[in-house]
């Protein structure tokens, strides 16, 4: 009687979810990447947007007084565009752990494809994501074979808003604080 053959197409090898903190093993491959949108918290966005708009309005008023006409400033992104949030690359990757198990995790952001090649011995630091349905997220990869440390950097809300808007928001908060202080003192 012939032995039973494991049909890998019909019954693929189970993938283990290891939330970790560290998974050590051999890098197998990257799976097809896709984009995911970063969610933006509304209260933070509203605060930054209102403060930046305040600074922009005061700046436009000062330019009008100095020049006699409103200057042409840089166009700002609309609130709807800012609310959408940035998209970032998600690349699932697989590792054969030192214990023989197959682990799948998500790499957020861009990492050079040649930084890790098939069968490199790696040590991956992972953490759980907010959505329990998602694979753990890669925080740091140490390629033991090449002694290279790789840290992916996905976008944040602050990189999405940009330094110009953040500086305007800081100026706007100072203007609002000065206006409130002056109003309290004059009352």
């Amino acid at each position: 009687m012939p032995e039973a053959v494991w049909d890998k197409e019909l019954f693929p090898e189970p993938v283990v979810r290891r939330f970790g903190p560290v998974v050590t093993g051999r890098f197998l491959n990257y799976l097809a990447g896709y984009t995911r949108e970063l969610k933006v918290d509304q209260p933070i966005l509203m605060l930054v947007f209102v403060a930046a708009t305040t600074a922009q309005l005061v700046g436009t008023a000062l330019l009008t007084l100095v020049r006699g006409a409103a200057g042409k400033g840089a166009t700002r992104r609309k609130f709807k565009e800012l609310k959408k949030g940035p998209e970032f690359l998600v690349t699932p990757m697989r590792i054969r752990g030192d214990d023989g198990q197959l682990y799948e995790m998500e790499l957020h952001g861009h990492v050079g494809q040649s930084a890790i090649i098939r069968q490199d011995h790696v040590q991956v630091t992972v953490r759980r994501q907010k959505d329990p349905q998602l694979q753990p997220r890669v925080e740091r990869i140490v390629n033991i074979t090449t002694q290279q440390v790789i840290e992916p950097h996905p976008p944040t809300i602050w990189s999405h808003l940009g330094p110009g808007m953040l500086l305007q928001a800081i100026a706007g908060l100072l203007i609002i604080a000065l206006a409130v202080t002056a109003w309290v003192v004059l009352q």
Side-chain angles (χ1 to χ4, degrees):
M1 184 170 205
E3 287 185 47
V5 178
W6 181 267
D7 189 349
K8 290 189 177 187
E9 289 181 358
L10 292 176
F11 305 102
E13 183 178 357
V15 175
V16 178
R17 286 186 181 204
R18 169 96 182 256
F19 294 103
V22 175
V23 178
T24 304
R26 297 279 175 187
F27 174 74
L28 294 179
N29 63 340
Y30 293 112
L31 301 175
Y34 59 93
T35 58
R36 186 181 299 158
E37 186 178 305
L38 180 69
K39 293 184 179 170
V40 178
D41 291 334
Q42 293 291 334
I44 293 172
L45 182 61
M46 286 296 296
L47 176 69
V48 170
F49 191 77
V50 168
T53 301
T54 302
Q56 186 179 24
L57 290 174
V58 170
T60 303
L62 289 175
L63 281 176
T64 302
L65 289 174
V66 171
R67 292 185 186 169
K72 293 190 176 188
T75 59
R76 180 186 296 165
R77 293 179 288 167
K78 304 287 184 210
F79 182 76
K80 189 174 184 178
E81 295 171 15
L82 292 172
K83 189 171 80 170
K84 184 177 177 208
E87 289 187 344
F88 59 95
L89 179 66
V90 176
T91 308
M93 61 183 275
R94 289 191 171 174
I95 293 175
R96 171 79 57 203
D98 288 340
D99 58 1
Q101 298 287 332
L102 180 64
Y103 296 102
E104 187 172 297
M105 51 207 66
E106 291 183 352
L107 186 65
H108 293 187
H110 293 277
V111 171
Q113 296 291 324
S114 62
I116 308 170
I117 58 173
R118 190 170 172 83
Q119 294 302 314
D120 273 355
H121 194 225
V122 293
Q123 183 180 45
V124 182
T125 305
V126 296
R127 75 176 173 100
R128 197 179 287 265
Q129 296 193 56
K130 291 179 184 177
D131 184 356
Q133 300 296 322
L134 297 174
Q135 297 290 348
R137 176 181 162 189
V138 173
E139 291 288 315
R140 181 178 155 195
I141 302 171
V142 177
N143 188 338
I144 298 170
T145 305
T146 63
Q147 299 297 310
Q148 183 179 11
V149 177
I150 304 156
E151 291 184 359
H153 297 286
T156 63
I157 180 67
W158 308 115
S159 65
H160 170 61
L161 294 176
M165 180 170 259
L166 293 177
L167 289 173
Q168 273 187 339
I170 291 169
L173 288 173
L174 290 174
I175 290 169
I176 291 169
L178 286 172
V180 169
T181 305
W183 183 75
V184 169
V185 168
L186 294 176
Q187 290 296 330

